[in-house]
Amino acid sequence: MSKTQLKKELSGYSKEQLIDIILEMYSTRPDVKEYFKFYLNPDSKTLCEKYIKAIDKEFNRSKWRVSKARVSVIKKLIKKFNSFQPDLKYRYDLYAMTVKLSIQTEHFYKLPESLINGICHFINEYLTLADKNEDLDNALSIIGQMVEQDNVGTRYYKNRLAEACQDYVESKSILIAASAMSTTATATA
């Protein structure tokens, strides 16, 4: 059902009927309850901490010293967190903590290649968000500090994370150069 159809349908209900529907959904649907808790009392910090714990729990799934963390679960958690539209600072924090938790996990467990690729994708999402909000340098600095730590993580994994950052920066450099070239071509024509 589209939003327009839903709006049309709900416009026929009285205020009391709408309140009853909302209360019924609140009591039976955990996701609706979580949404209303945040909507009525927006606390981005507490919400971020909750999702960081859930991501940490996912990273700690293992068998025989191999991480069994699922990229799809982590991706859903990040998407669900972002759906609440929390403060931008906490969206940054969640991405940064996801990378940090992956480094800590990799220190103790072998990460499958699919998980490493997924973390590189999350880095790309994080840098894209930071770039859109003109905070790319700060995001790169945060990831750089994590990668430079000597006491946690293998060199191979941290090099992969650094390469993901480099790939993002290079892709933006190519786009900027192409844009500048097309502007120059248009100006000379």
Side-chain angles (χ1 to χ4, degrees):
M1 176 182 287
S2 70
K3 287 183 181 180
T4 307
Q5 290 172 322
L6 180 62
K7 187 176 182 179
K8 183 179 177 183
E9 194 67 35
L10 292 176
S11 65
Y13 288 95
S14 69
K15 181 179 177 181
E16 291 77 25
Q17 289 173 317
L18 290 173
I19 290 172
D20 288 341
I21 290 171
I22 291 171
L23 290 174
E24 179 66 26
M25 287 173 45
Y26 185 84
S27 63
T28 59
R29 303 284 309 188
D31 53 334
V32 173
K33 187 174 187 174
E34 185 178 26
Y35 172 79
F36 275 110
K37 277 184 176 179
F38 183 76
Y39 180 78
L40 297 173
N41 184 18
D43 185 1
S44 296
K45 182 178 179 181
T46 303
L47 188 68
C48 184
E49 289 169 356
K50 175 183 175 183
Y51 279 85
I52 287 171
K53 285 180 184 176
I55 289 170
D56 185 36
K57 182 178 178 182
E58 183 62 27
F59 272 123
N60 285 314
R61 295 179 71 243
S62 66
K63 185 174 183 180
W64 296 323
R65 300 204 37 94
V66 175
S67 176
K68 295 294 182 186
R70 298 161 293 184
V71 175
S72 60
V73 172
I74 296 168
K75 186 175 187 175
K76 284 178 188 174
L77 288 167
I78 291 172
K79 183 177 181 181
K80 188 172 179 185
F81 175 77
N82 287 336
S83 73
F84 287 98
Q85 299 176 343
D87 296 337
L88 188 59
K89 175 198 180 316
Y90 295 103
R91 292 177 71 191
Y92 289 161
D93 287 351
L94 187 70
Y95 279 114
M97 281 303 297
T98 300
V99 174
K100 184 175 183 174
L101 291 170
S102 77
I103 293 171
Q104 291 171 348
T105 300
E106 195 269 344
H107 184 72
F108 296 104
Y109 305 112
K110 180 183 182 328
L111 301 185
E113 196 64 27
S114 60
L115 183 57
I116 294 172
N117 291 337
I119 298 302
C120 291
H121 178 76
F122 296 143
I123 286 175
N124 196 329
E125 288 179 8
Y126 175 35
L127 296 177
T128 301
L129 176 66
D131 196 15
K132 284 181 185 175
N133 293 290
E134 299 181 10
D135 201 17
L136 181 60
D137 291 338
N138 188 40
L140 288 169
S141 173
I142 289 169
I143 294 173
Q145 289 171 5
M146 287 185 230
V147 168
E148 290 173 3
Q149 287 181 350
D150 288 333
N151 57 342
V152 180
T154 63
R155 185 178 311 151
Y156 168 77
Y157 183 60
K158 292 193 280 188
N159 283 342
R160 285 289 305 274
L161 300 181
E163 287 172 13
C165 292
Q166 188 64 36
D167 290 346
Y168 180 83
V169 170
E170 286 175 1
S171 73
K172 291 300 170 186
S173 299
I174 291 169
L175 292 175
I176 292 169
S179 174
M181 289 174 55
S182 68
T183 305
T184 305
T186 306
T188 58

